[in-house]
Amino acid sequence: MLVAPSILSADFGILAKEVVSICEAGADLVHVDVMDGHFVPNMTIGPVVAKAVAQSATKPLDVHLMVTNNTFFVDLFAPLKPKYISFHYESENHHHRLAQKIRDYGISPSIVINPATPVNVLEEIVKYVDMVLLMSVNPGFGGQKFIPIYDKIKQTKELIEKYNPSCLIEVDGGVSDQNIEQLKDAGVDIVVAGSYVFGHKDYAAAIKSLKV
Ligand code: DX5
Ligand code: ZN
């Protein structure tokens, strides 16, 4: 299991130090939650702060866009050269075009669905992305209760095996040592964990507990 701590739960007063700490503690990716106050009822990290994160990070960035104007935000964040840019199925009309735009920047495109969005909407786009991100909370805030989406993970796995076997599955929201084994068994490759990792005194121990 790869682990992508979400810096949304970090102490922003010492953000650079926090980013260095999680990278040293064994993070595989640094998850950056971008919210615009329109698609979700919160605002978080813009490109100026994300640039500082990128400069401190020794692991690749995993940018999660929760915005209505995806094209605008892809252009803002692409210069930071993240490994992934994830965009929401629900906020985009032209999925193939956006996936290709991200790929043209040399970045892996990823598509996200909310907990209430069925997996079958991914059937046509899954061939064109490198990762599917399944939300296990409604996006907007860290520290929410995990919604059991295990059946959706299994359905996504079947879709991936059929159309794009190298595509990865990431799960985001409410991940902890309480659900990590079940997530692994269902077929998840990467977990995002915010409050669980940053709520722990020992980041390395927290990350290790998720590497099942
Ligand atoms: C939620 C964000 C998540 C969030 C995860 O909108 O996309 O990445 O930071 O935080 P936890 O792990 O606390 O649910
Ligand atoms: Zn996220």
Side-chain angles (χ1 to χ4, degrees), residues 80 90 104 125 138 159 185:
L80 302 179
E90 299 86 355
D104 287 346
I125 192 68
N138 286 284
L159 212 59
D185 290 347

Side-chain angles (χ1 to χ4, degrees), residues 6 8 31 33 35 64 66 135 139-143 172-174 192-195:
S6 163
L8 192 56
H31 188 82
D33 286 307
M35 305 184 188
H64 176 190
M66 288 159 272
M135 292 307 298
F141 305 93
D172 183 3
V192 176
S195 51

Side-chain angles (χ1 to χ4, degrees), residues 27-204:
D28 297 289
L29 294 158
V30 177
H31 188 82
V32 179
D33 286 307
V34 179
M35 305 184 188
D36 67 350
H38 293 275
F39 180 63
V40 288
N42 197 5
M43 292 175 78
T44 52
I45 300 164
V48 175
V49 175
K51 190 176 174 190
V53 172
Q55 281 164 352
S56 305
T58 53
K59 301 292 168 62
L61 299 193
D62 176 32
V63 171
H64 176 190
L65 298 180
M66 288 159 272
V67 302
T68 50
N69 192 345
N70 289 292
T71 305
F72 172 74
F73 280 87
V74 166
D75 286 332
L76 278 184
F77 282 84
L80 302 179
K81 296 277 168 224
K83 182 163 175 58
Y84 296 103
I85 292 183
S86 300
F87 61 94
H88 271 260
Y89 172 82
E90 299 86 355
S91 73
E92 182 54 43
N93 292 324
H94 311 292
H95 303 91
H96 294 85
R97 180 186 292 154
L98 187 64
Q100 189 58 48
K101 180 181 175 69
I102 294 168
R103 207 178 280 292
D104 287 346
Y105 272 118
I107 298 163
S108 284
S110 157
I111 191 145
V112 198
I113 55 171
N114 281 334
T117 302
V119 169
N120 60 28
V121 301
L122 300 174
E123 188 157 354
E124 297 299 328
I125 192 68
V126 75
K127 303 178 197 76
Y128 301 92
V129 293
D130 294 343
M131 186 165 82
V132 170
L133 171 49
L134 299 172
M135 292 307 298
S136 42
V137 297
N138 286 284
F141 305 93
Q144 300 182 82
K145 190 170 177 280
F146 179 80
I147 298 169
I149 53 154
Y150 301 113
D151 288 345
K152 288 179 67 180
I153 297 166
K154 287 175 191 157
Q155 290 160 17
T156 304
K157 192 86 189 160
E158 283 168 22
L159 212 59
I160 282 174
E161 273 162 16
K162 190 168 170 194
Y163 294 112
N164 183 6
S166 63
C167 182
L168 300 181
I169 300 178
E170 182 174 53
V171 166
D172 183 3
V175 172
S176 73
D177 59 349
Q178 300 300 301
N179 47 34
I180 194 70
E181 291 285 351
Q182 269 174 288
L183 291 168
K184 174 79 181 177
D185 290 347
V188 176
D189 302 290
I190 307 175
V191 284
V192 176
S195 51
Y196 176 71
V197 169
F198 286 100
H200 225 278
K201 277 198 189 104
D202 184 345
Y203 296 167

